[in-house]
Amino acid sequence: MNMLDMLRATGGLDAIAGQLGVSPEMAATGASVLLPAIVGGFQKQSEAAGGGAGGLGSIVDVLSKLGGGGLATNVIAPEPTNVNQGNEILGQIFGSKDVSRSVASAGASQTGLDPELLKKMLPLLAMLVGGYLSTRGGGADGGFGSILGSILGGGQGTTAQAAPAAPAQS
């Protein structure tokens, strides 16, 4: 099951649509252009941390500290989501707010959706993906790597691409 299908099946897209006041179709369109960058950001973070079990372990640690599987539950719950945890995930996987802005801008140019809407969608999607990876990633058999690989390989009709490189800091 690819990530977009998983978000549909678990109610994640409906939750995003409700919180942002858009149709489920609009939420799906936004998610389809943002998910490759988010998943790619997780992959890039894993590779930067040394890849293999060590890199995956660092992602699991970050997600665990932010709430683990509860990240997705927070988005799907009927109460408004506190997106601070999602913004922290985005900071970890993208490195800067500039990258998040460029991901939203690129998504807007591909879909015609408002970039401000996509900026609001990013932390919600990051929490859903992070929660999904946290709940599916346990086990000594490299479950997290398998899930990340299937998400990266599963795509949403497009191949997942790594997040754009963060601009050089001076």
Side-chain angles (χ1 to χ4, degrees):
M1 177 182 295
N2 72 35
M3 184 57 71
L4 194 58
D5 290 340
M6 187 277 305
L7 292 177
R8 278 190 186 98
T10 60
L13 285 180
D14 288 337
I16 289 173
Q19 289 190 44
L20 298 179
V22 299
S23 70
E25 294 78 18
M26 191 177 286
T29 298
S32 71
V33 296
L34 297 177
L35 282 170
I38 291 169
V39 173
F42 276 107
Q43 180 184 33
K44 187 175 178 182
Q45 177 68 23
S46 171
E47 291 168 358
L56 295 173
S58 72
I59 293 173
V60 171
D61 288 345
V62 167
L63 294 174
S64 181
K65 289 175 186 172
L66 293 173
L71 292 163
T73 303
N74 288 341
V75 176
I76 295 170
E79 298 82 26
T81 302
N82 178 345
V83 296
N84 290 338
Q85 294 162 310
N87 285 324
E88 287 187 47
I89 293 168
L90 293 172
Q92 288 289 321
I93 65 173
F94 290 161
S96 82
K97 289 183 180 185
D98 290 336
V99 175
S100 290
R101 288 183 196 110
S102 69
V103 167
S105 178
S109 68
Q110 291 175 17
T111 62
L113 295 175
D114 183 350
E116 290 302 314
L117 172 68
L118 296 177
K119 284 182 200 174
K120 292 176 186 175
M121 195 178 289
L122 271 169
L124 297 170
L125 285 168
M127 290 174 72
L128 288 168
V129 172
Y132 177 73
L133 292 173
S134 294
T135 60
R136 304 292 192 271
D141 64 347
F144 187 84
S146 299
I147 294 296
L148 189 56
S150 70
I151 291 168
L152 291 166
Q156 290 79 251
T158 128
T159 57
Q161 298 173 7
Q169 303 286 325
S170 52

